[in-house]
Amino acid sequence: MLSGASRPFWAHLIAIALSVVAIVAILNAGHGGMGGARADRPAVASAERPQPWDGWRDNAVQPLARLLLQIVLVILAARLFGAAARRVHQPSVIGEMAAGIALGPSLLGAVSPGAYQALFPASSFAVLGLLSQIGVILFMFIVGLDFNWAHVRHRARSAVIISNISIVLPFLLGVCSALALYADHAPAGISFRAFGLFMGIAMSVTAFPVLARILDEKQMLTTPVGTMALSCAALNDVTAWVLLAFVVAVVTAAGSIGNAIVTIASTALFAGVMILIARPLVRRVLEARAGQDTFSKERMALVIGIAFAAALVTEIIGIHALFGAFLAGATLPAGDDFREGLRDRLESFSSVLLLPLFFAFTGLRTQVGLVDDASSWLMLAGIIVVATAGKLGGSALAARSTGMDGKNAFVLGALMNTRGLMELIALNVGYDLGVISQEIFTVLVLMAIVTTAMTSPLVSLAGITPPLKRPLSGSR
């Protein structure tokens, strides 16, 4: 006999079973009653009835399903190529750059055009591009969090000299390169001023995050050349992004110097507001909640909200959202522990999901097939030589002028020649603005990959070998 405790359980099962039977009976009765009202509708032949997999196929090509498939493929490719890069003592960003190109028309599109069109149709680029921009905004906020003014303060004189020369000389060579390339390779309607300024920027960028990661892998973070490289790269980043903001302002102002001045003045005003007004207010709010959980939802919501709000303001001003995100990170008035913890939390999500989407989006715009003849390959080789001579040579010569020995000066120049993701961000800004053609975009992307891949071997060539520990992932 069933116990009292068991009766309610069986009673529920019986009630559910009776309800199911009643539902099925009602549905069958209603289905049978449809014949009178629609007796004139012809019966569907059994061969024409939709099969379950027909619905699956239709669902698979819907925008959300296609985006999810793209995300899965991009993550897998980024992890695979990134791991392969680390095995040869390269930062994972090299592999992730290569993964983006492999998924684009340069490899997948060439090997299997049908599969490429099915996986990455042109109609999906808009959504993929927006997601990748979110990833870049978060990344630039992280770069701002990494920016340490102490690196500059403690070595101000030498760092300023080396950083300035490592910007000016490559910029000069980039503008000279623009003279040779403008007539045949600049997009129609773009002035030489805009094209030349952007080529100067493309030659001048240094990837501060990937440089820091290489220094960590080489156990050089605390060495004199390592700390000097961080100081120079920090100044270099700020200078390069200010120059890029100026170029964007000039281009978006449609050639009007007055409009460009208004844009630049608005940017300076916003930077002042962030530093002089927003920073103290945010500090007060964070200190008021100091007794709470360090990474409470309220704190996280506040700082991330500030990052996106700053990005929105600079986007509206007209100098791109990434500048606001960088400024928000660089001016965040929080303790080192909070900044470090926030950086780790955001980077874990951004580096695994959003940044690989940016690499894929960049790869979709890169067509290595455009470099298809002797003149194109000569142009690529020339760009790499000019970029390396300007950045590595300029940094090394400047370092020697400040009293650094030849070996360390060469290592510093090799480290400053690292471009990584920062270069790709700048190139995508230029491409979106229409300042550079797809051919120049492709050549500069390949230059960024080659110069970044050169860094670790050149440092090792100088007599500094990597430790036996496993390289860290997530290099940018």
Side-chain angles (χ1 to χ4, degrees), residues 173-195:
L173 294 179
V175 173
C176 291
S177 300
L179 277 174
L181 298 174
Y182 178 72
D184 297 326
H185 302 284
I190 293 297
S191 67
F192 175 76
R193 179 184 299 166
F195 183 74

Side-chain angles (χ1 to χ4, degrees), residues 27-354:
L27 290 176
N28 286 335
H31 180 71
M34 291 172 59
R38 300 187 180 183
D40 57 337
R41 172 178 287 184
V44 178
S46 59
E48 299 176 359
R49 291 175 182 169
Q51 301 299 320
W53 46 85
D54 294 332
W56 299 344
R57 185 168 55 248
D58 293 339
N59 292 337
V61 298
Q62 295 302 311
L64 178 58
R66 178 174 278 124
L67 176 62
L68 294 174
L69 177 59
Q70 290 172 345
I71 290 174
V72 171
L73 290 175
V74 168
I75 291 176
L76 290 176
R79 293 295 92 192
L80 178 63
F81 280 70
R86 292 193 299 272
R87 288 183 66 87
V88 294
H89 303 291
Q90 290 286 350
S92 60
V93 67
I94 293 294
E96 292 173 9
M97 286 180 178
I101 293 177
L103 290 175
S106 301
L107 183 58
L108 179 60
V111 174
S112 179
Y116 170 71
Q117 290 297 329
L119 293 172
F120 297 98
S123 59
S124 69
F125 284 13
V127 175
L128 198 61
L130 287 176
L131 273 180
S132 71
Q133 289 300 310
I134 296 296
V136 172
I137 289 171
L138 281 178
F139 173 75
M140 290 305 298
F141 180 62
I142 294 168
V143 172
L145 292 175
D146 280 337
F147 186 78
N148 189 344
W149 288 101
H151 286 149
V152 179
R153 226 174 17 245
H154 295 160
R155 302 164 190 85
R157 184 177 180 277
S158 297
V160 168
I161 292 173
I162 298 171
S163 178
N164 286 343
I165 294 178
S166 72
I167 284 280
V168 171
L169 184 56
F171 204 103
L172 173 62
L173 294 179
V175 173
C176 291
S177 300
L179 277 174
L181 298 174
Y182 178 72
D184 297 326
H185 302 284
I190 293 297
S191 67
F192 175 76
R193 179 184 299 166
F195 183 74
L197 287 173
F198 187 82
M199 288 299 297
I201 289 291
M203 298 296 180
S204 304
V205 173
T206 291
F208 179 86
V210 71
L211 184 150
R213 187 68 63 170
I214 291 174
L215 290 173
D216 179 75
E217 292 174 1
K218 301 286 187 182
Q219 296 183 341
M220 294 171 59
L221 280 172
T222 58
T223 63
V225 67
T227 54
M228 180 58 73
L230 287 177
S231 303
C232 295
L235 277 174
N236 196 295
D237 264 7
V238 173
T239 306
W241 291 117
V242 169
L243 289 173
L244 183 57
F246 174 78
V247 174
V248 173
V250 170
V251 175
T252 55
S256 170
I257 299 299
N259 290 341
I261 292 174
V262 169
T263 301
I264 295 169
S266 301
T267 304
L269 176 63
F270 174 67
V273 169
M274 287 291 294
I275 296 171
L276 300 177
I277 299 177
R279 179 182 172 90
L281 288 176
V282 174
R283 178 189 288 114
R284 207 167 298 151
V285 173
L286 292 177
E287 289 176 350
R289 299 175 179 273
Q292 300 182 6
D293 178 18
T294 303
F295 299 104
S296 64
K297 292 181 180 178
E298 289 78 10
R299 276 189 159 205
M300 295 289 289
L302 174 65
V303 296
I304 294 176
I306 290 172
F308 281 98
L312 172 63
V313 172
T314 53
E315 180 73 13
I316 292 174
I317 288 174
I319 62 164
H320 207 284
L322 61 91
F323 299 104
F326 174 79
L327 185 61
T331 59
L332 183 69
D336 291 339
D337 291 342
F338 180 73
R339 294 172 73 97
E340 182 69 19
L342 179 63
R343 185 190 66 80
D344 290 342
R345 282 163 171 77
L346 292 179
E347 188 179 38
S348 297
F349 172 71
S350 178
S351 63
V352 171
L353 174 61
L354 296 178

